[in-house]
Amino acid sequence: MTVLVLGGAGYIGSHTVDRLLSKGYDVAIVDNLVTGHKESVPAAARLYVGDVRDKEFMRSVFKKEDVEGVVHFAAFSVVPESMKDPLKYFDNNTYGMINLLEVMNEFGVKNIVFSSTAATYGEPEHTPIEEGDPQVPTNPYGQSKLMMEQIMHWADVAYGIKFVALRYFNVAGAKADGSIGEDHAPETHLIPIILQVANGQRDKLQIFGDDYPTPDGTNVRDYVQVVDLADAHICALKYLAAGNKSDAFNIGSATGFSNLQILKAARKVTGKEIPAEMAPRRPGDPSTLIAASGKARSVLGWDPQYDDIDAIIGSAWKWHESHPQGYATK
Ligand code: NAD
Ligand code: UDP
């Protein structure tokens, strides 16, 4: 039996494939390589290059593979891009989910673990955010993911397809040996951008907004290490395989760091100066996002190993130092 990982050549997907293989799972990947890297795919995983929205292609994969469960990472996830081009997000993300569920239903595949996001909550009413809190996205990316959660709910009601939605907060870091890591082009995430400045690939960091209602005026985010996050997917697959009900779980650390605190930690970890300047707010950014993450621990048995931000940034730095041009410089 095989776990089919959609988007398995991407940042989080590649770390999850690595962890699945290390735990003895048989793994197949679907990825159109729009943002992913075939260099990140290990020989032990079978890669099918194609689009989740292409129904004939998806049927051909489900015919070849004996799929016991699906892990669905394949999506666009850049908040500012979604503000400029929302339909691109509803097409790739939301329509992709409809197509996937139709094919899963045709082939009788009943379990899916899904990459949801803190962006489905929007600007929270209180902190930390609980899973039952209102989901009112402030950007089309978050809206596209909320719609995917809702579509999965109705697919469960109608077809009995069980899902776990993992609502990731901010993901960072890399495999401890630095052999796989984050390589987005263009990069938009805070920690890799800071490390590209540390590497000399960028002149300076721009911090988007210093007038938020937070202790130092910059946005506060909750960071989870990517290998810990990968393991949450394995916990979720086991939870579904045991016949449990569909549910959503926050995946975060319950600790918030401001953008200035992240910069300070990165200066310490890298020993580099990392020039930075304040810049205007980035449209669509909520002020503070911190997860209540007890439910994933108690229900899924998730046991994250990284508990400090220096170690998370340190794992990312190992990847960036050894791969300054990402997968282009192995
Ligand atoms: P990524 O861009 O590195 O990975 C996405 C992968 O999906 C890529 O390999 C891409 O080529 C593939 N893909 C995209 N559209 C596809 C399609 N239509 N058909 C086939 N393949 C397709 O992104 P990531 O940072 O690894 O994020 C993975 C998932 O996690 C996304 O769904 C994202 O929304 C979610 N997420 C990420 C973060 C984060 O901080 N990185 C936070 C919350 C949620
Ligand atoms: N950010 C920033 N400068 C950058 C990139 C990001 O100040 O060059 C800020 C961004 O405004 C947000 C935080 O860093 O407050 C985290 O952003 P990221 O894009 O990494 O993740 P998001 O929270 O949008 O998922």
Side-chain angles (χ1 to χ4, degrees):
M1 296 288 270
T2 298
V3 176
L4 182 64
V5 182
L6 310 175
Y11 168 46
I12 304 168
S14 60
H15 287 81
T16 304
V17 167
D18 183 69
R19 294 299 280 176
L20 283 165
L21 290 171
S22 76
K23 292 187 182 300
Y25 286 86
D26 184 62
V27 177
I29 295 171
V30 162
D31 201 300
N32 63 4
L33 302 177
V34 65
T35 57
H37 305 274
K38 65 177 180 327
E39 298 85 348
S40 74
V41 175
R46 295 176 296 287
L47 171 63
Y48 296 90
V49 177
D51 198 298
V52 172
R53 293 165 294 179
D54 178 344
K55 193 170 281 172
E56 279 314 312
F57 163 73
M58 291 298 286
R59 283 187 178 127
S60 73
V61 174
F62 276 77
K63 260 182 215 148
K64 281 188 205 120
E65 299 289 343
D66 185 13
V67 180
E68 65 173 320
V70 170
V71 185
H72 183 26
F73 296 102
F76 293 137
S77 57
V78 179
V79 168
E81 183 189 54
S82 81
M83 297 292 284
K84 288 200 189 103
D85 198 355
L87 299 183
K88 178 176 174 179
Y89 279 68
F90 295 119
D91 177 40
N92 197 45
N93 299 1
T94 313
Y95 172 63
M97 175 63 92
I98 294 170
N99 202 48
L100 169 64
L101 290 170
E102 282 172 347
V103 177
M104 286 177 66
N105 191 37
E106 275 178 37
F107 284 81
V109 175
K110 295 292 184 193
N111 293 338
I112 174 169
V113 179
F114 167 60
S115 301
S116 190
T117 166
T120 61
Y121 292 112
E123 190 68 59
E125 282 171 7
H126 62 87
T127 295
I129 303 171
E130 308 274 350
E131 285 84 352
D133 285 353
Q135 289 177 287
V136 188
T138 54
N139 55 64
Y141 163 61
Q143 186 72 53
S144 74
K145 290 271 169 168
L146 176 57
M147 290 164 78
M148 293 162 89
E149 285 196 10
Q150 292 165 336
I151 289 166
M152 286 190 303
H153 166 74
W154 292 111
D156 180 5
V157 172
Y159 319 122
I161 297 175
K162 301 290 170 204
F163 71 88
V164 165
L166 297 177
R167 296 182 189 146
Y168 320 156
F169 282 60
N170 288 60
V171 187
K175 186 177 177 181
D177 67 4
S179 60
I180 50 176
E182 187 164 9
D183 180 4
H184 294 126
E187 189 50 77
T188 60
H189 289 125
L190 180 65
I191 289 178
I193 284 177
I194 288 176
L195 297 180
Q196 288 175 350
V197 180
N199 249 345
Q201 290 171 274
R202 292 173 188 255
D203 294 344
K204 59 180 182 252
L205 169 72
Q206 290 196 310
I207 297 178
F208 299 138
D210 61 356
D211 57 351
Y212 285 95
T214 61
D216 65 22
T218 65
N219 284 161
V220 171
R221 295 288 182 269
D222 179 338
Y223 291 85
V224 58
Q225 211 277 351
V226 67
V227 179
D228 281 338
L229 174 61
D231 285 346
H233 295 77
I234 296 175
C235 295
L237 282 168
K238 288 183 181 156
Y239 168 92
L240 289 174
N244 288 300
K245 71 178 176 70
S246 297
D247 210 347
F249 300 87
N250 289 341
I251 302 292
S253 70
T255 309
F257 292 93
S258 75
N259 294 341
L260 277 173
Q261 286 175 313
I262 294 292
L263 174 63
K264 196 171 161 202
R267 285 176 171 152
K268 186 170 92 182
V269 168
T270 63
K272 308 277 184 180
E273 185 197 348
I274 313 182
E277 66 181 19
M278 290 302 166
R281 286 184 177 201
R282 189 175 70 172
D285 273 342
S287 167
T288 298
L289 294 173
I290 301 174
S293 61
K295 184 176 169 188
R297 291 165 201 256
S298 62
V299 179
L300 295 180
W302 183 52
D303 181 23
Q305 300 300 302
Y306 282 80
D307 61 0
D308 91 82
I309 195 68
D310 293 0
I312 294 178
I313 295 172
S315 72
W317 182 229
K318 185 156 186 178
W319 156 257
H320 281 275
E321 270 196 303
S322 57
H323 298 74
Q325 305 301 328
Y327 287 101
T329 49
K330 281 207 295 179

